[in-house]
Amino acid sequence: MTGRSNPIMQTLSLENSATQCIRRETMVNVKYGQFTQLLMRATHETTIHGIRQIVGIETETLRRFLWILIVIACSAFFGQQLYVRVSDFISNPKSVNVEVVYAQSLPFPQVILCNKNAFK
C-alpha cells in the first residue's frame, strides 16, 4: 500500500484496550445490523463465563464449538441440580420424626443400690 493509509488498518495497528473496543465495534458496525450490534456489545461486556468466547469475532470455529459444548453442559447440570433441589423442597420432607408413647406400667429394677454415705 502506497500513498494513503487505510483508517481501519490504522485502528487495527493500535494496541491499547480502548482502541481494541473501537476496532471490535467498527467490525460489528460493518458486519451486522443495529439489534445485533447491541447484542454483540452486551455479550462482550457480560460476566457470564463462555459467552464472550462463543460470540467473539476473533474466536476460531473449533474453540467456539468447544465453548458452546461447555456452556451447554454446565447449563444442563445447573438445570438438573435446580430441578432436584426445588422438587426436594416442594416435597416438604420430614427430617425428624417424634413419637410419644405413654407406658402403662413401669418395671422396677431387680437390684437396689443403697447409699451408704457417711456424711449424711
Side-chain angles (χ1 to χ4, degrees), residues 24 28 39-46 52 55-58:
R24 188 179 300 133
V28 170
L39 187 62
M40 293 287 279
R41 188 172 182 185
T43 56
H44 285 297
E45 294 174 2
T46 187
R52 189 177 305 158
V55 181
I57 295 172
E58 303 89 15

Side-chain angles (χ1 to χ4, degrees), residues 41-93:
R41 188 172 182 185
T43 56
H44 285 297
E45 294 174 2
T46 187
T47 57
I48 300 172
H49 300 294
I51 299 298
R52 189 177 305 158
Q53 284 77 17
I54 292 172
V55 181
I57 295 172
E58 303 89 15
T59 308
E60 301 171 1
T61 305
L62 179 62
R63 179 176 252 181
R64 183 174 292 169
F65 180 71
L66 290 174
W67 273 105
I68 288 171
L69 289 178
I70 290 169
V71 168
I72 289 174
C74 291
S75 297
F77 182 71
F78 170 74
Q80 185 265 343
Q81 287 293 312
L82 183 67
Y83 173 76
V84 168
R85 299 298 158 218
V86 169
S87 63
D88 187 41
F89 178 75
I90 291 174
S91 69
N92 197 13

